[in-house]
Amino acid sequence: MLRSIESAAAKRMAATCFAWALAMSAGSAFAADAGDNATWKDGKHVYDKVCGYCHDDGRVGPELLGRQLPAAYAAAIVRHGFRAMPAFPASYIDDASLQKVGEFIATAPAPKK
């Protein structure tokens, strides 16, 4: 029993570390792509560059698109984190861009499989 608990905790920790490293590398890629005008284009751009790494195609996190999650809920989870989902501080994604990605998640259709 103890081994399964330790194993589950280790898997969660590994997933969190992996997600955080992926997000940080995505941020570096964003900064390199953005040049002098370092702003996110729209909610889809944020989702494609950051969220999709973990939340598309059954990877680390759950599928988000097509679930009509409330924009405020999505933004709160992104800002504060939840379980294996790391928090993304304002230094990484500003409030306006966070609102845009929340609205994108809330209104995006489910991906075609």
Side-chain angles (χ1 to χ4, degrees):
M1 175 78 171
L2 186 56
R3 275 196 173 157
S4 65
I5 292 171
E6 290 174 351
S7 177
K11 287 178 183 177
R12 279 194 306 274
M13 180 58 80
T16 300
C17 292
F18 176 73
W20 185 252
L22 207 58
M24 291 302 105
S25 66
S28 299
F30 158 71
D33 288 346
D36 293 335
N37 188 16
T39 59
W40 298 103
K41 295 175 189 172
D42 55 24
K44 182 177 181 341
H45 182 232
V46 177
Y47 185 88
D48 289 345
K49 292 289 186 179
V50 181
C51 310
Y53 285 110
C54 293
H55 291 282
D56 283 349
D57 302 325
R59 293 181 186 151
V60 177
E63 184 69 50
L64 299 177
L65 303 182
R67 294 176 55 193
Q68 285 74 45
L69 297 170
Y73 173 78
I77 297 298
V78 170
R79 181 64 77 219
H80 303 287
F82 183 69
R83 297 187 181 179
M85 171 73 184
F88 289 83
S91 60
Y92 185 79
I93 180 171
D94 61 276
D95 290 338
S97 297
L98 185 57
Q99 182 178 354
K100 289 177 187 177
V101 77
E103 291 168 2
F104 174 75
I105 290 169
T107 60
K112 297 192 189 306
K113 301 283 177 174

